Amino acid sequence: MAFGRNRRVEPFEAVHWDAITQFTVGRMMRHTMRKSTRGEGAHAVRFRARRGGDTYMVPGVYIVPVDPALALAKGGFRLFEDEAARRLLCTVLPDGSDRYRVTDAAGQELGSVRRTPVTKRFSQHGLWLEQPGHPDIVAPRKWAKGGPMASLGRGAGHVAEHVVDGVLSAVFLGANETSGSGGSLKPLVWVLGVTDEEYGQVVLTFPHSTQSERWYFINQDSPLDKRLAFALAVVRESEIFRADQR
């Protein structure tokens, strides 16, 4: 792993994909103000690691397009546990409608990433999840009775305090996912089960962030299959930010 001219960094200890609770999607390997020292690596789901006062984005799950000529959101992709693409984690394929089917290495159904129909965009954000045996996992635009703190408090479990704070600090600045200043991004909260006045458990959050750093946080105590969280984030990064085309 190299950053900048003639600078090398010792490899980080591998982390199993199911132990990842905070992740970003991309190629950037090191957080630094200077672009020349950030470094680029494989397109991957990456977790944060600290060393010598620096922050690194370490690859944990590798992203391989099904058709390299197409964007991931168009042609589908596979996620692998290793850079050599020998240990398949899951496959994510569009079915020609609003659905991305997610299957494990044996071809068994894990669930789906779904695109919200236009008619429902006023009530929930663009992508949501289906996981067999569980209620739909959606990111609603309106908070449950009692406001955002009540909604998060009922289902947050051990979601880190700063994640909740980040969500609340910029909650719903408007109807779109991006705000006007400095390319900042609005927070999203995916919850398990929604009724008219109550939301279920918080399973995935995308706190207030900037276009250069987009982090997703998984609630470790939730039943969400992390492979579905990775799949949703990769589709979203490809579809909204075109990150796989850079």
Side-chain angles (χ1 to χ4, degrees):
M1 190 180 294
F3 301 100
R5 185 174 296 176
N6 300 323
R7 180 173 181 181
R8 299 199 63 80
V9 175
E10 290 300 315
F12 286 86
E13 183 178 352
V15 171
H16 189 268
W17 63 269
D18 199 33
I20 297 173
T21 57
Q22 304 177 16
F23 69 92
T24 187
V25 176
R27 296 183 173 87
M28 190 169 74
M29 302 164 70
R30 180 169 175 255
H31 178 69
T32 174
M33 294 296 292
R34 292 174 54 199
K35 188 174 181 179
S36 62
T37 60
R38 291 175 187 173
E40 284 194 348
H43 195 202
V45 172
R46 294 174 175 269
F47 61 92
R48 196 193 315 256
R50 298 277 298 174
R51 177 180 288 168
D54 292 325
T55 301
Y56 297 90
M57 274 65 86
V58 183
V61 176
Y62 295 87
I63 304 165
V64 178
V66 170
D67 184 347
L70 296 176
L72 298 180
K74 294 289 186 182
F77 53 93
R78 295 184 176 93
L79 301 181
F80 290 88
E81 296 186 62
D82 63 316
E83 190 169 7
R86 296 191 181 97
R87 300 195 303 275
L88 178 63
L89 185 60
C90 64
T91 300
V92 184
L93 289 175
D95 71 354
S97 63
D98 66 349
R99 181 174 182 254
Y100 295 84
R101 183 168 176 256
V102 185
T103 55
D104 66 13
Q108 296 298 308
E109 188 97 11
L110 295 174
S112 301
V113 178
R114 301 291 298 267
R115 188 180 292 106
T116 304
V118 174
T119 54
K120 290 188 177 181
R121 292 289 174 90
F122 288 104
S123 61
Q124 68 184 56
H125 285 272
L127 294 173
W128 57 284
L129 292 170
E130 287 179 325
Q131 183 173 335
H134 297 283
D136 293 342
I137 299 169
V138 305
R141 292 192 183 276
K142 294 182 180 179
W143 292 102
K145 186 177 181 180
M149 183 60 79
S151 303
L152 286 171
R154 279 193 293 271
H158 294 295
V159 174
E161 242 178 65
H162 70 276
V163 177
V164 176
D165 289 343
V167 173
L168 296 179
S169 67
V171 63
F172 295 126
L173 301 176
N176 299 316
E177 291 196 29
T178 57
S179 64
S181 58
S184 60
L185 304 177
K186 295 174 182 176
L188 296 178
V189 181
W190 281 269
V191 296
L192 186 68
V194 179
T195 65
D196 289 340
E197 293 189 343
E198 298 290 337
Y199 297 159
Q201 184 180 26
V202 173
V203 298
L204 180 68
T205 58
F206 178 82
H208 180 64
S209 184
T210 65
Q211 297 253 10
S212 61
E213 266 196 82
R214 298 185 291 272
W215 289 92
Y216 297 80
F217 295 78
I218 301 171
N219 180 2
Q220 183 72 2
D221 293 336
S222 78
L224 175 63
D225 189 313
K226 291 179 183 176
R227 291 168 290 189
L228 293 177
F230 300 153
L232 181 147
V234 174
V235 170
R236 183 170 183 259
E237 292 291 311
S238 174
E239 209 169 52
I240 297 177
F241 307 110
R242 302 184 184 277
D244 57 312
Q245 300 175 35
R246 294 175 184 171

